[in-house]
Amino acid sequence: MAEDKKGENKYSIIIPTYNERLNIALIIYLVFKHLKDFNFEVIVVDDGSPDGTQDIVKQLQQVYGEDHILLRPRAKKLGLGTAYVHGLKHASGNFVVIMDADLSHHPKYLPSFIKKQIETGASIVTGTRYVTGGGVHGWNLMRKLTSRGANVLAQTLLWPGVSDLTGSFRLYRKSALEDIISSVVSKGYVFQMEMIVRATRKGYHIEEVPITFVDRVYGSSKLGGSEIVEYLKGLLYLLVTT
Amino acid sequence: MKHIVKIMAILVAISAFWIGLLQAAVIPESYTWLLPLYFIVSLGCYGLLMVGVGLMQFPTCPQEAVLLQQDIREAKDFMKKNGVDIGPD
Ligand SMILES: Nc1nc2c(ncn2[C@@H]2O[C@H](COP(=O)(O)OP(=O)(O)OP(=O)(O)O)[C@@H](O)[C@H]2O)c(=O)[nH]1
Ligand SMILES: [Mg+2]
């Protein structure tokens, strides 16, 4: 049977969405295209998007089957960190992938995450933009500068053990994700940084694979505000608590 | 051990070494007094250098944006064929 060839691992791909009507259709198409040789499910955690993201997901369920696409919505916008926790509760795989819906995280890299995990037995495989084979497209000089500055500061002060702290395209052993996420309190993208730093401190085996990051084409960014201040606060918080 | 403790420990070790130098007087005292200043300045230079090098070598991938556009077209075609209403454009 075809199922046997796919091995015993199952990958639950958690995609949080807020107003990603078009993107969610595109990314699910690409996930199915690139993961056809694996056991997987997609878990969409939509926070009551007013643009009808959930309607699209329901239509996609008709096309791809409800056992492959799980819609686990919440009533209102409650933030990213808790969206992952919510999705994780419904995950039936022994591995979990976390990725954004906005196509900045391209599903074509999923097989390389999985391959890396199988080769190394790692508990976490994290995508990095800052090694050969990786890269970013669509950032202006200011964005590059803050990104590099933030990275140098974090590498010098935190010794995080990974080259890309704020990236959020990652594969986790489910038990590892459950363990780490329960001790994380930060919000916004400090959340991603806290996840990986806590994982390093807990001694989890972490591996990296190169990914490219193309800035979002459709829809609008949900983060914002005083990002630099938030980042510095997060750094300080991690210094004294990890 | 919290990470800040590790960093403090390193700073204390460096200070102890410096005080040792002051007392042993192996190099002229006026030089020794300047060492902390040199330390801070070189730390700052290191940071600026790393950011500068990082900026110059910032990995970009313009071809990926082109590939993504192809993937988007492919996905949109599929959705149209399967009657998923993703709206115009
Ligand atoms: N469920 C849920 N998803 C969210 C929430 N905020 C953001 N998201 C989703 O999380 C992912 C990342 O959000 P983005 O707005 O792309 O954040 P970002 O990648 O840092 O910002 P950009 O650079 O503009 O892409 C996207 O898939 C969003 O739809 C939220 O409150 N709830
Ligand atoms: Mg994004």
Side-chain angles (χ1 to χ4, degrees):
Chain A
M1 235 180 87
E3 289 292 311
D4 294 329
K5 269 204 313 244
K6 297 186 174 182
E8 63 255 39
N9 289 332
K10 182 171 181 185
Y11 301 89
S12 298
I13 299 162
I14 301 179
I15 308 182
T17 58
Y18 189 75
N19 286 348
E20 305 283 7
R21 183 189 166 87
L22 177 51
N23 286 327
I24 193 66
L26 304 178
I27 197 158
I28 283 182
Y29 170 82
L30 292 170
V31 167
F32 277 80
K33 177 178 170 184
H34 292 282
L35 281 188
K36 55 180 181 300
D37 297 334
F38 300 93
N39 281 321
F40 71 95
E41 65 188 359
V42 176
I43 303 173
V44 180
V45 182
D46 184 72
D47 279 3
S49 302
D51 76 341
T53 302
Q54 290 180 32
D55 294 340
I56 296 286
V57 176
K58 283 171 193 155
Q59 291 182 42
L60 292 164
Q61 284 177 322
Q62 300 310 310
V63 177
Y64 288 106
E66 282 183 35
D67 49 337
H68 274 99
I69 302 178
L70 282 59
L71 176 59
R72 296 291 178 268
R74 300 188 296 176
K76 60 175 200 293
K77 196 171 188 303
L78 295 169
L80 261 182
T82 55
Y84 297 131
V85 177
H86 182 82
L88 189 55
K89 272 189 255 165
H90 301 281
S92 68
N94 52 336
F95 287 94
V96 176
V97 173
I98 282 179
M99 66 192 297
D100 291 352
D102 61 2
L103 299 176
S104 292
H105 298 159
H106 198 298
K108 71 182 168 193
Y109 295 108
L110 287 169
S112 66
F113 280 77
I114 293 171
K115 211 169 121 237
K116 188 68 155 191
Q117 194 287 321
I118 290 170
E119 278 169 14
T120 62
S123 291
I124 302 171
V125 180
T126 179
T128 177
R129 296 163 283 191
Y130 304 128
V131 295
T132 33
V136 176
H137 176 80
W139 282 7
N140 60 21
L141 185 63
M142 194 57 203
R143 185 107 188 244
K144 287 180 185 168
L145 184 69
T146 34
S147 155
R148 292 285 61 188
N151 212 307
V152 169
L153 210 58
Q155 294 293 343
T156 314
L157 290 176
L158 283 178
W159 317 344
V162 296
S163 59
D164 191 348
L165 276 165
T166 50
S168 53
F169 193 0
R170 293 176 185 149
L171 174 113
Y172 295 86
R173 200 181 290 282
K174 190 182 176 191
S175 54
L177 180 55
E178 285 167 340
D179 173 33
I180 300 160
I181 211 165
S182 63
S183 49
V184 170
V185 300
S186 302
K187 299 209 157 38
Y189 68 111
V190 176
F191 174 86
Q192 303 299 348
M193 191 158 84
E194 181 171 359
M195 287 285 289
I196 208 72
V197 172
R198 292 212 182 270
T200 303
R201 302 286 192 259
K202 281 173 186 257
Y204 281 108
H205 179 179
I206 305 174
E207 291 283 338
E208 298 188 306
V209 288
I211 57 161
T212 57
F213 183 100
V214 178
D215 213 20
R216 68 158 70 239
V217 185
Y218 300 109
S220 59
S221 177
K222 279 93 207 172
L223 293 175
S226 47
E227 287 193 11
I228 295 177
V229 177
E230 285 308 308
Y231 173 81
L232 292 176
K233 276 199 253 170
L235 202 64
L236 205 66
Y237 167 76
L238 289 178
L239 270 174
V240 298
T241 62
T242 72
Chain B
M1 188 165 62
K2 299 289 182 228
H3 196 71
I4 188 83
V5 182
K6 282 188 215 159
I7 290 178
M8 289 305 193
I10 291 172
L11 289 179
V12 168
I14 292 172
S15 316
F17 178 72
W18 178 64
I19 292 169
L21 275 185
L22 266 182
Q23 268 163 4
V26 273
I27 48 177
E29 204 169 286
S30 53
Y31 286 168
T32 318
W33 278 110
L34 281 174
L35 280 179
L37 192 71
Y38 290 156
F39 178 70
I40 292 167
V41 169
S42 43
L43 213 61
C45 286
Y46 164 82
L48 285 179
L49 194 79
M50 292 301 284
V51 173
V53 168
L55 256 189
M56 270 160 53
Q57 300 182 337
F58 200 96
T60 55
C61 48
Q63 74 289 353
E64 288 298 324
V66 179
L67 293 176
L68 181 62
Q69 284 306 324
Q70 289 170 11
D71 289 335
I72 288 174
R73 234 170 293 136
E74 192 183 307
K76 280 182 173 173
D77 282 349
F78 178 87
M79 292 305 152
K80 225 166 273 163
K81 248 181 256 148
N82 286 273
V84 178
D85 169 34
I86 49 172
D89 185 39

